[in-house]
Structure formats: structure tokens, C-alpha cells
Amino acid sequence: MTDNSQFLKAAYFTLGCKLNFAETSSIGKMLAQRGISRAAKGETPDICIVNTCSVTEVADKKGRRLIRSLSTRYPDATIAVTGCYAQLKPEEVAGISGVDIVIGSNEKLRMAQYIDEWMADRRKRVAVTPFRDITEFSPSCEKGDRTRFFLKVQDGCDYFCTYCTIPFARGRSRSGRIDDLVEMAAQAAREGGKEIVITGVNIGEFGKDNGQSLFDLLRRLDDVNGIERFRISSIEPNLITEEIIEWIASGARAFMPHFHIPLQSGSDEVLRLMNRRYDTSLFRSRIGTIRELMPDAFIGVDIIAGARGETPLEWERSLEFAESLDITRYHVFPYSERPGTKALLLGDAVTQEEKHRRVSMLTALSDRKMEAFMLNSRSSVRPVLWEQPSGDDMMHGLTDNYIRVEAPLNPGLINRISMARLDSVHPTEPEIMTATHI
């Protein structure tokens, strides 16, 4: 960095997935090692780092809106943009007023180098590697502003689902080495970490490129002393094997009864058009195995409403299947047209009005399932990892099965696990339960 870098302050802005948050934290740590401190709330930053998402057109719009807002608020700041939007549409991002640096997925963790170059000559930098040439993997295990650590074990995807741009934004699937990742988890434990979320783009493909396996990674991580909880952020239904489910249920020390599994459609025909690698029968089987072995498990499921090819008949089939599953909550996404995807060639587009209607119906279904899960949890006693309190008299935490709870502040329990009785659903926040320390 330049000689005056120790006087510079950076602000960080992240859109999108847990993996993006982990990578933003890595960028922040790298810049801090070079003398650039994090701007405190209310301070004017010298540098704004924006890590974007591009999973939908709405995500692109949020990215543009955020960048323009920062340019207006901090006209003298250097604005560096990275992430999936920057990878997919670098020239568009570079054309937004105020943007000085645009770097793609392969260059993201070399942010310090590009800031150095910008500081030297103040010439706009645009550096993006074509997705087929993205080969680097940079593991990270970061906490940032969060209580939990996020361990990046895998990046990229080889699936090329017809509606998705992620392989073009992230490149081919590639993984870390188990020994390196276990050491990162051990370092998180030495720093006081109690919980680690395992992140990646397609975690189930871990080891595909280096001869290792996800199951071997999970078992090695489970042996890391000091880490009391692991969660898998998201995993494809065809890649979370019954062997892994059974091990989490009965053999694992620290893996929680908490799953996030994308469905995307409850219609076999739409799944075929999407180029998904499973059908509804396999999906139902996986959910059934989890529910049989872990009755109280939290199961979150992604589902898309209004995809091309989702005719009224296929929509009814999808909704009926979604209603029949014993899951906790749906994460509902309206289908978003993405330029360059094969989905644009599939069937007629669903109108916006009909798409919104389907989103509303799935959201209402999700609310009913979440409410039933919460009510069924009343009076149960669960282990809770307590977080740093945000107020003076209450504290929050997460149960092993991912229920957020609120209880009276006990400073001695911060970043510790203790038992709590779940009393009732919060009167104003239906996804939080009030709890009593035991």
C-alpha cells in the first residue's frame, strides 16, 4: 500500500449469499493487514468496497442503486466493485458514475493490489477473468461483524441449470484441501469461535477436482476441538446422501439438525426443463429421511415461482408437492430472466401478475409451515448459543435447530451454549421465540 495507507478508512457493503459475506470479511482482513482500517459508523470512508450479487435482475438493480448512493454520499471516496454482478457485466458496472475499480471473481481476493494500482495513477481498473479460465481457489474462515464464523470450502459450479448464471459468475467447481480447511477451523476455535457455517457455491461438489470427498471433510471438521457447532449453509438434494444424513443424526458430535436444501420446483417437468439433477421422488425421500431421524430439524427449502415452462398445470403440481412436504420454511423467489441463459428458450414466460400471485401463495404456505414449527417448539428445552447483545436488557441466540430466541440479558452467557426453555412466539416478531434460561 501507499505510505499514507495507515490513515485510510474503508467501508464494506455486501449483497447476496453467505459466501459473499465471508469473502468480504477476507478482503477486510487483507486491507487491515496493509494498514487500511474499517470506517466506524458515522465516519466518512476513503474507500468503499462493494461485493455484489447477480442471482436475479433485482439483485443487479440493488447493486446499481447501492453504488450510485455511495457515489452521492461519498463523492471523494474510491469505489471498488467486485462480486457476481461485476464478473457478469463489468463494462456496465464500470460505466456507473463514481466507480473506480471493477474486479471479477478470480481477482476478488487481490483487492489490495488493485487499490494500490489505483492509488498510484488514479486510472480506472477493470480486471475480469473469463469464467472458463477461473481456476484459483482461495479458502477463508471469517467472522467479520457476525458471531458465527463462515468457512469457505468450495467455489464455482458445474451444474449449468438453465435459469442460472452462477457458473458464469463463479467459474467451474473447485475446492480447498481438507488439511488446510481443518486448520482454519482450528484457528477459529483458538480465536474463540464456537460455531462455523460451511459455505460454498455447490458444497456437495466438494473434492470433485482434487480427489477428496465432502463426507471426509465433515468428519474431519467434527473432530476440531473447541468448535461446538457446524452448519452446512446449503446443499443440493442429490448430493446430501443418506449416509451423511444418518451420520449427522447419530454419529456427528457437532453438526446441527439444520438443513437448507433447494427444491426450485415441485413439478418433475419443470425440474427437467431447469436441468436439475433430481426429481420430486428423490427430494421427498431426502426430507423423509431427515424428518424420521431428526424430528425437530429445521429444514429450509428454496423454491422458484413462475419459471418458464411452469404452465398452470405444472404450477398446480408444484404447489401441491410443496404443501405435502414436512419442511420448516420456504425461501420463495420469483423467476428472474437472466440474459444468456438457456431458460429463455423454454416455453412461454409467465406474466408478472401471475408470477406475483404464485409468489404470494408460496409465501403464505411458508408462513403457515413456519408458524406450525414454532408452535410445536413451545415448552421444549434446547441448547442455545448466545450472541453479543444489541440492547441493554435482552439477548438473542440460536438453538441447535436454528430457532432464534430472546431472553433476559445474562452477560456471563455471551458466546456460550446453555439450555433454555422456549416459552412462546414473540408477540411482534413471529420468527423469534421468547425463552427462559435454565
Side-chain angles (χ1 to χ4, degrees):
M1 283 292 170
T2 56
D3 291 340
N4 66 343
S5 61
Q6 65 269 28
F7 302 113
L8 298 176
K9 297 183 182 297
Y12 299 88
F13 305 87
T14 306
L15 301 171
C17 61
K18 292 182 175 67
L19 183 56
N20 266 8
F21 280 93
E23 290 173 339
T24 298
S25 292
S26 292
I27 293 170
K29 180 181 288 187
M30 291 174 183
L31 294 189
Q33 291 170 349
R34 305 286 288 274
I36 298 179
S37 60
R38 184 180 290 268
K41 187 175 182 179
E43 287 188 318
T44 299
D46 303 289
I47 303 167
C48 293
I49 308 293
V50 184
N51 194 357
T52 60
C53 174
S54 190
V55 69
T56 64
E57 176 58 31
V58 172
D60 288 356
K61 289 179 180 177
K62 286 182 178 178
R64 290 192 293 271
R65 190 160 55 241
L66 173 59
I67 294 165
R68 288 169 180 147
S69 171
L70 294 174
S71 178
T72 300
R73 288 174 60 193
Y74 309 117
D76 297 326
T78 297
I79 297 180
V81 183
T82 187
C84 292
Y85 181 32
Q87 174 72 31
L88 291 170
K89 300 177 181 177
E91 297 306 324
E92 180 176 305
V93 173
I96 299 174
S97 176
V99 171
D100 303 300
I101 301 168
V102 180
I103 57 175
S105 298
N106 212 45
E107 294 76 19
K108 180 181 288 188
L109 296 184
R110 295 200 297 273
M111 179 68 74
Q113 169 193 330
Y114 291 99
I115 292 176
D116 252 352
E117 294 174 359
W118 158 257
M119 293 294 181
D121 60 17
R122 299 282 167 165
R123 288 194 302 110
K124 182 171 290 194
R125 293 295 192 284
V126 179
V128 175
T129 300
F131 81 95
R132 295 186 186 279
D133 298 326
I134 297 175
T135 57
E136 295 181 22
F137 176 79
S138 301
S140 63
C141 189
E142 302 295 342
K143 182 173 66 172
D145 296 331
R146 295 168 177 248
T147 299
R148 295 173 289 168
F149 280 76
F150 293 83
L151 175 62
K152 175 185 171 183
V153 304
Q154 183 272 343
D155 202 347
C157 184
D158 293 343
Y159 271 23
F160 291 91
C161 298
T162 56
Y163 59 87
C164 184
T165 59
I166 296 304
F168 307 104
R170 286 276 183 175
R172 292 285 190 172
S173 180
R174 53 210 188 276
S175 313
R177 302 292 303 181
I178 289 177
D179 287 346
D180 297 335
L181 298 169
V182 168
E183 173 53 31
M184 286 185 164
Q187 179 58 35
R190 290 191 287 269
E191 294 175 17
K194 294 292 191 295
E195 180 172 317
I196 290 178
V197 179
I198 299 169
T199 66
V201 173
N202 190 346
I203 291 171
E205 286 198 299
F206 175 86
K208 178 180 177 180
D209 59 324
N210 60 23
Q212 300 188 311
S213 78
L214 176 64
F215 196 18
D216 287 342
L217 171 66
L218 301 184
R219 288 183 292 191
R220 287 282 305 279
L221 289 173
D222 199 51
D223 291 334
V224 174
N225 291 327
I227 300 300
E228 299 184 45
R229 291 181 167 184
F230 286 98
R231 302 184 192 273
I232 302 172
S233 62
S234 179
I235 186 167
E236 294 286 306
N238 53 306
L239 297 177
I240 181 167
T241 63
E242 291 196 353
E243 182 182 38
I244 290 175
I245 295 170
E246 290 167 0
W247 175 76
I248 292 175
S250 60
R253 173 190 65 86
F255 277 80
M256 297 295 99
H258 171 210
F259 300 87
H260 189 120
I261 306 174
L263 169 62
Q264 311 305 21
S265 175
S267 157
D268 284 328
E269 173 60 15
V270 175
L271 289 175
R272 184 188 68 80
L273 292 173
M274 288 178 166
N275 197 31
R276 302 294 285 165
R277 303 194 180 193
Y278 53 88
D279 58 15
T280 55
S281 176
L282 183 144
F283 197 93
R284 187 185 298 281
S285 174
R286 292 291 187 269
I287 299 301
T289 300
I290 293 170
R291 200 51 88 200
E292 177 185 354
L293 298 177
M294 292 167 275
D296 298 328
F298 187 107
I299 307 175
V301 174
D302 293 340
I303 190 166
I304 295 171
R308 282 183 177 262
E310 190 179 78
T311 64
L313 175 60
E314 300 306 333
W315 155 245
E316 292 298 330
R317 287 173 173 166
S318 184
L319 180 62
E320 181 180 355
F321 183 77
E323 289 176 334
S324 73
L325 291 175
D326 186 6
I327 60 98
T328 308
R329 178 173 62 188
Y330 283 106
H331 299 265
V332 183
F333 300 90
Y335 168 71
S336 178
E337 301 275 29
R338 307 308 289 137
T341 59
K342 291 183 178 179
L344 298 179
L345 306 175
L346 303 176
D348 294 330
V350 177
T351 66
Q352 286 298 111
E353 293 77 13
E354 176 62 15
K355 196 183 299 182
H356 291 153
R357 187 183 76 87
R358 295 178 189 181
V359 166
S360 297
M361 293 180 72
L362 286 171
T363 301
L365 172 63
S366 176
D367 291 344
R368 292 195 299 272
K369 288 186 176 291
M370 185 68 183
E371 180 182 21
F373 182 79
M374 298 286 272
L375 292 175
N376 193 52
S377 300
R378 287 187 302 184
S379 301
S380 63
V381 175
R382 314 286 317 188
V384 177
L385 175 59
W386 298 100
E387 301 172 350
Q388 192 73 28
S390 56
D392 295 329
D393 55 354
M394 303 299 288
M395 64 193 311
H396 292 84
L398 282 174
T399 65
D400 57 335
N401 63 339
Y402 206 61
I403 297 174
R404 180 158 291 279
V405 299
E406 179 183 87
L409 176 62
N410 181 338
L413 293 178
I414 296 171
N415 201 36
R416 290 181 56 192
I417 294 175
S418 69
M419 302 304 292
R421 184 181 67 247
L422 309 190
D423 297 324
S424 61
V425 178
H426 194 283
T428 60
E429 300 181 71
E431 295 194 359
I432 296 178
M433 295 197 74
T434 61
T436 300
H437 298 296
I438 294 180

